[in-house]
Amino acid sequence: MIISEEKIYQHGAVTLKGWIFYTPSQDLRPGIIVAHDWTGCGEMAKERARLLAEQGYVAFAIDMYGAGRIGQSNDEKQALMLPIVSNRVLLRERMLV
């Protein structure tokens, strides 16, 4: 059985919405951060995290954009991603929050 939980967390003033996937166990297990593509933390990132959980990992699908935003068109996706990839400090901080 895979457990999935939405996790709300903060990076400065930005509220982020990620998803954690794991199997119930008291054993220590390795964790993996799943970074989404330019669309945002959507179904593809969550499915990858779920598959990793099935293999015994604790997997966290992070939200790089905030508020669980998902780009619909290529223009929206580019507008969401550009501020993140053009600022390496911000990119690193969002990965490590």
Side-chain angles (χ1 to χ4, degrees):
M1 174 175 76
I2 302 297
I3 297 171
S4 66
E5 299 175 359
E6 180 181 83
K7 294 294 182 183
I8 305 299
Y9 58 108
Q10 292 291 128
H11 178 236
V14 177
T15 300
L16 303 159
K17 183 168 63 171
W19 289 84
I20 190 166
F21 293 80
Y22 60 95
T23 56
S25 171
Q26 297 300 318
D27 298 330
L28 291 177
R29 287 163 290 158
I32 296 178
I33 295 171
V34 176
H36 55 76
D37 64 6
W38 73 325
T39 302
C41 187
E43 293 307 313
M44 188 170 82
K46 289 188 261 185
E47 178 61 15
R48 293 285 181 229
R50 187 189 65 72
L51 290 170
L52 288 164
E54 286 180 356
Q55 296 177 30
Y57 297 96
V58 175
F60 185 59
I62 62 172
D63 174 15
M64 296 294 286
Y65 301 151
R69 289 183 290 176
I70 302 289
Q72 300 302 318
S73 68
N74 285 349
D75 288 340
E76 283 182 10
K77 293 172 188 178
Q78 185 175 14
L80 288 168
M81 181 172 254
L82 192 58
I84 303 293
V85 297
S86 63
N87 183 339
R88 293 293 187 186
V89 172
L90 176 61
L91 175 66
R92 182 173 182 266
E93 288 174 354
R94 289 278 170 92
M95 295 285 289
L96 297 176
V97 166

